């Protein structure tokens, strides 16, 4: 969203509310519950068992909101949960993936913590039956193991495009970290297409504030 002069963007407002005195970063679903105005259902996939227990406690709290229709925490590999099928009756489905990195070379290194080209096929198969709008955000935090950003963008975009998921935005934080956004059956607005320059402007402003 655009903002008036002197106003904080929704991200900063959510972060200050969710973690006002902590260096820990809230999970993505917590941001959604803060900013989304209507009803929602949540599916969180997590492999680390201690984190699973923390998420289940958080989900129990989230279910108390009248906006929360359901909140499921699936323990184990996200791939297994996706193979079981996703809800298909939503007006909008938003999927957020935050692996350590997207490795175009396959699953030889850290198969659980990374995403690979074959995972994109599983993702596409899972959203195929969904008739409503679909948004997919995929973040990668490293270009190691011969994964330059340009190659990763080409691989992910080509694999998803032929399944109907079109690239909306690429947001780079530096030479390693970036987020890709794809959509199907959604209206792509100007603010969505301008995510990268708006993020860069926000980051410069935030860093300048840190130096003051």
């Amino acid at each position: 969203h655009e903002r008036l002069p002197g106003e904080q963007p929704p991200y900063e407002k959510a972060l200050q509310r969710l973690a006002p005195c902590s260096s820990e970063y809230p999970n993505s679903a917590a941001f959604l519950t803060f900013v989304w105005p209507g009803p929602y259902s949540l599916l969180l996939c997590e492999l680390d068992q201690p984190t699973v227990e923390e998420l289940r406690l958080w989900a129990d709290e989230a279910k108390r909101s009248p906006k929360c229709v359901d909140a499921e925490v699936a323990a184990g590999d996200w791939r297994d949960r996706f193979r079981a099928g996703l809800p298909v009756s939503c007006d909008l489905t938003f999927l957020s993936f935050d692996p350590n990195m997207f490795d175009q070379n396959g699953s030889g290194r850290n198969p659980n913590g990374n995403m690979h080209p074959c995972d994109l096929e599983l993702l596409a198969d899972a959203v195929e039956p969904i008739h409503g709008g679909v948004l997919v955000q995929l973040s990668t935090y490293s270009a190691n193991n011969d994964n330059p950003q340009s190659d990763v963008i080409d691989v992910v975009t080509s694999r998803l495009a032929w399944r109907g998921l079109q690239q909306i935005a690429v947001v780079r934080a530096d030479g390693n970290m970036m987020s890709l956004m794809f959509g199907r059956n959604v209206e792509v607005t100007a603010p969505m297409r301008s995510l990268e320059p708006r993020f860069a402007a926000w980051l410069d402003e935030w860093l300048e504030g840190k130096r003051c």
Side-chain angles (χ1 to χ4, degrees):
H1 296 287
E2 300 295 344
R3 58 190 174 100
L4 297 173
E7 287 190 344
Q8 290 179 310
Y11 167 79
E12 284 190 7
K13 290 182 179 178
L15 185 59
Q16 290 185 2
R17 178 71 66 85
L18 297 169
C21 303
S22 174
S23 60
E24 295 183 1
Y25 191 78
N27 68 67
S28 298
F31 281 98
L32 182 146
T33 62
F34 183 86
V35 302
W36 190 255
Y40 54 78
S41 296
L42 302 171
L43 169 61
L44 295 90
C45 300
E46 177 56 51
L47 189 64
D48 180 68
Q49 191 57 40
T51 305
V52 168
E53 299 306 322
E54 293 180 9
L55 286 175
R56 284 176 173 162
L57 291 174
W58 177 86
D60 288 341
E61 290 295 322
K63 290 177 183 178
R64 297 181 182 182
S65 169
K67 295 191 301 180
C68 183
V69 178
D70 190 25
E72 174 190 350
V73 177
D77 194 322
W78 69 270
R79 300 169 182 88
D80 295 332
R81 180 59 184 83
F82 270 53
R83 292 187 184 100
L86 300 178
V88 298
S89 61
C90 306
D91 293 330
L92 176 65
T93 299
F94 173 63
L95 303 175
S96 177
F97 295 89
D98 294 291
N100 295 326
M101 65 182 294
F102 182 89
D103 191 342
Q104 65 174 329
N105 303 299
S107 58
R109 298 185 180 182
N110 196 7
N112 289 325
N114 295 342
M115 284 187 70
H116 316 95
C118 60
D119 292 329
L120 301 177
E121 301 299 321
L122 174 58
L123 162 61
D125 288 342
V127 301
E128 183 75 25
I130 298 176
H131 299 295
V134 176
L135 284 172
V136 177
Q137 172 262 321
L138 192 162
S139 294
T140 180
Y141 299 91
S142 173
N144 291 335
N145 196 31
D146 191 25
N147 285 286
Q149 290 182 341
S150 58
D151 286 1
V152 170
I153 293 170
D154 288 345
V155 169
V156 177
T157 299
S158 62
R159 292 263 182 154
L160 294 183
W162 74 275
R163 301 293 293 270
L165 288 161
Q166 302 298 320
Q167 184 191 112
I168 295 174
V170 177
V171 180
R172 300 172 180 85
D174 53 35
N176 282 301
M177 297 172 58
M178 69 174 175
S179 291
L180 312 178
M181 179 170 285
F182 299 85
R184 191 188 73 197
N185 297 335
V186 293
E187 179 185 1
V188 181
T189 62
M192 293 169 69
R193 291 197 181 278
S194 64
L195 278 171
E196 181 161 27
R198 292 194 296 119
F199 171 78
W202 171 82
L203 184 60
D204 287 343
E205 182 179 319
W206 183 79
L207 291 174
E208 183 62 31
K210 287 290 187 180
R211 286 191 288 267
C212 295

